[in-house]
Amino acid sequence: MYVNGQLIFDDFHFKDHYEHQVPIQIYWGSEHSDIGFVELYCSEYIKINNVFYNRSQFTFVSRPGY
């Protein structure tokens, strides 16, 4: 179970969000970049809304119920 606003960073976090279609909000620094569902993930990138986000450059936040 994830709470709204919880930081996600491990592979199993992204796997859970992918499998259960829980939305993720993406930040670049303190600036909102995007929100959506995980399409693909690997150790370096997350694909959301047909865009690949580098896991080391962006912050990913769980948004259940969004």
Side-chain angles (χ1 to χ4, degrees):
M1 179 74 149
Y2 295 90
V3 296
N4 193 24
Q6 180 177 343
L7 293 178
I8 56 173
F9 47 86
D10 285 327
D11 283 345
F12 67 88
H13 294 155
F14 293 109
K15 181 181 183 217
D16 282 347
H17 283 71
Y18 173 77
E19 289 177 350
H20 301 289
Q21 290 295 286
V22 177
I24 292 177
Q25 190 166 11
I26 304 155
Y27 289 91
W28 187 17
S30 61
E31 192 171 318
H32 167 80
S33 293
D34 202 356
I35 192 167
F37 299 98
V38 176
E39 298 170 25
L40 294 170
Y41 65 93
C42 70
S43 61
E44 296 180 27
Y45 295 95
I46 304 299
K47 184 179 179 187
I48 295 176
N49 296 330
N50 211 27
V51 176
F52 288 91
Y53 293 96
N54 188 307
R55 286 173 62 169
S56 65
Q57 290 181 311
F58 292 87
T59 302
F60 303 94
V61 177
S62 183
R63 293 294 185 211
Y66 177 79

